[in-house]
Amino acid sequence: MPKGILVVLEQYNGELRKVSLELLSEGRRLADASGLTLTGALLGQGVKDLASVAASHGADRVIVVEDVALKDYTTGAYTSVLNRIIRQEDPEVVFIGNTGMGRDLAPRLAQRLGVGSASDCVAVTVDSTYKLIFRRPIYAGKAYAEVATEARPILATIRPNSFSISASSPDRQAEVVEETATIDANDLQAIVKEVVRQASSRPELTDANIIVSGGRAMKNAENFQLLEELADTIGAAIGASRAAVDSGYREYKYQVGQTGKTVAPTLYIACGISGAIQHLAGMGSSKVIVAINKDPEANIFTVADYGIVGDLYEIVPLLTEEFKKQ
Ligand code: FAD
């Protein structure tokens, strides 16, 4: 029986994360090309209804495991359940989003299974011998490595926004397999007591299609209001350079870069950011980069698709005004 493709589905606030839809869409394309079965693993509490969403995006089967211990992500409980599912399913490859959860989960799971993992991949191809090749950035995004592993299953975390989401087919059905959570007591050493969610109408940074990011040139926290107005006009998330975060203009969760979040939106607008290699490491694979900087020699212009040389305090309000007219 041919081995399958398993996608670890990530849900948040009652919805499948965008990256999970991307992984299902790419998984479907690979499954169609190779005759493999595409299975989603859906863990949580009260999440069963999301199986139909996974089906509409290409899953042939969805394994649903519901338990109070899985309501919020913990490394131990999720590793315990997924370790069992993966051993039982014996897939060829396991796709996990390279999100906060995925970056935490994949190494632990790989250790438990005794296999290697390819992290932060941006592309997957199949070579002439049907071997899966994973492309991942190295040296802070200056080069790419192509990785293949002999051990099975291959665990791979995939950078959000690396794959497009195929159109949903609401009539598509998947076999839904409900399983009981059997969690090793040793894996329940940490429990989540409370999750405090900050209300925000803006998209989550790593999921966002558009990001407006500010650097040291913002000068203070209040000036970020300028970027927020632009972001709200075009439905963008806000990001920041480390200099802006270290200066206290923005909280750490907004930091983009080597020691912050990795993003790959369709459009990244960098405002007053010089383009240090550590910043580029986090946003260099954005589809279209627009840079606004008053220094024509700024390094950000070497990666920008569109560069605007000028004062962001003049340019950003003009952009906002123009977008409001659309
Ligand atoms: P600057 O480099 O000071 O650039 C500010 C830019 O704003 C300049 O180009 C200037 O021309 C322009 N400017 C000034 N005024 C205006 C104006 N009015 N209008 C338009 N443009 C204007 N950095 C990150 O961002 N993310 C990371 O994750 C990260 N991790 C790091 C990890 C390590 C180990 C190290 C050593 C560094 C890391 N850094 C990171 C820091 C990085 O090296 C840079 O210091 C930082 O990215 C600079 O931020 P910046 O571009 O906002 O500031």
Side-chain angles (χ1 to χ4, degrees):
M1 187 178 141
K3 291 182 170 188
I5 299 169
L6 186 87
V7 174
V8 175
L9 300 171
E10 198 173 326
Q11 41 83 24
Y12 179 74
N13 259 352
E15 285 183 17
L16 284 186
R17 293 276 304 258
K18 185 167 158 267
V19 67
S20 295
L21 305 183
E22 292 163 10
L23 299 186
L24 285 168
S25 303
E26 182 65 10
R28 186 70 260 153
R29 283 188 279 271
L30 287 170
D32 286 343
S34 55
L36 299 177
T37 304
L38 179 65
T39 303
L42 180 59
L43 279 57
Q45 197 188 29
V47 293
K48 194 182 152 193
D49 287 352
L50 296 178
S52 60
V53 181
S56 71
H57 283 280
D60 298 310
R61 296 170 67 235
V62 183
I63 300 173
V64 181
V65 189
E66 295 198 293
D67 193 279
V68 65
L70 301 171
K71 179 171 180 282
D72 297 302
Y73 171 75
T74 63
T75 321
Y78 272 58
T79 301
S80 200
V81 172
L82 285 166
N83 177 38
R84 188 183 48 75
I85 292 177
I86 293 169
R87 284 176 188 279
Q88 160 197 305
E89 294 293 312
D90 194 21
E92 177 75 10
V93 60
V94 180
F95 287 144
I96 305 173
N98 194 56
T99 58
M101 175 183 124
R103 284 202 299 265
D104 182 66
L105 178 66
R108 182 75 67 101
L109 210 44
Q111 185 277 334
R112 203 61 76 85
L113 293 159
V115 296
S117 78
S119 58
D120 198 20
C121 304
V122 293
V124 186
T125 48
V126 185
D127 77 2
S128 55
T129 61
Y130 293 101
K131 193 183 260 183
L132 286 170
I133 312 285
F134 296 90
R135 194 161 199 261
R136 57 183 301 272
I138 52 170
Y139 303 125
K142 278 210 165 241
Y144 286 92
E146 298 210 319
V147 182
T149 74
E150 296 298 335
R152 292 290 179 275
I154 309 166
L155 252 60
T157 65
I158 310 286
R159 184 179 286 193
N161 286 325
S162 296
F163 305 135
S164 55
I165 300 176
S166 52
S168 141
S169 312
D171 296 337
R172 221 176 162 282
Q173 301 287 325
E175 179 194 353
V176 178
V177 184
E178 287 184 66
E179 295 195 0
T180 322
T182 41
I183 304 169
D184 190 326
N186 287 330
D187 283 326
L188 278 177
Q189 288 174 3
I191 53 161
V192 177
K193 284 196 156 176
E194 190 188 5
V195 176
V196 182
R197 294 203 163 98
Q198 227 171 30
S200 170
S201 54
R202 295 198 189 97
E204 154 69 28
L205 191 55
T206 49
D207 280 348
N209 259 329
I210 310 176
I211 295 173
V212 178
S213 219
R216 197 195 305 274
M218 298 315 297
K219 297 187 195 145
N220 55 47
E222 291 69 40
N223 284 343
F224 260 87
Q225 176 67 29
L226 211 62
L227 304 192
E228 283 172 11
E229 273 176 44
L230 173 59
D232 290 341
T233 308
I234 55 179
I238 294 280
S241 72
R242 176 159 164 181
V245 171
D246 285 352
S247 306
Y249 309 161
R250 220 61 207 183
E251 290 168 55
Y252 171 67
K253 66 176 182 177
Y254 293 97
Q255 186 177 315
V256 172
Q258 190 179 323
T259 43
K261 288 184 175 156
T262 304
V263 298
T266 310
L267 174 63
Y268 188 89
I269 307 178
C271 308
I273 293 178
S274 59
I277 180 72
Q278 296 89 355
H279 189 78
L280 303 188
M283 46 63 77
S285 47
S286 304
K287 308 278 182 301
V288 175
I289 298 170
V290 174
I292 304 168
N293 197 302
K294 65 180 184 185
D295 174 8
E297 302 297 323
N299 194 48
I300 191 78
F301 290 127
T302 62
V303 295
D305 298 280
Y306 299 94
I308 305 173
V309 179
D311 186 342
L312 75 92
Y313 293 94
E314 289 169 21
I315 293 158
V316 172
L318 287 176
L319 279 178
T320 309
E321 207 179 292
E322 278 307 309
F323 281 125
K324 277 186 178 160
K325 288 182 196 161
Q326 306 294 312

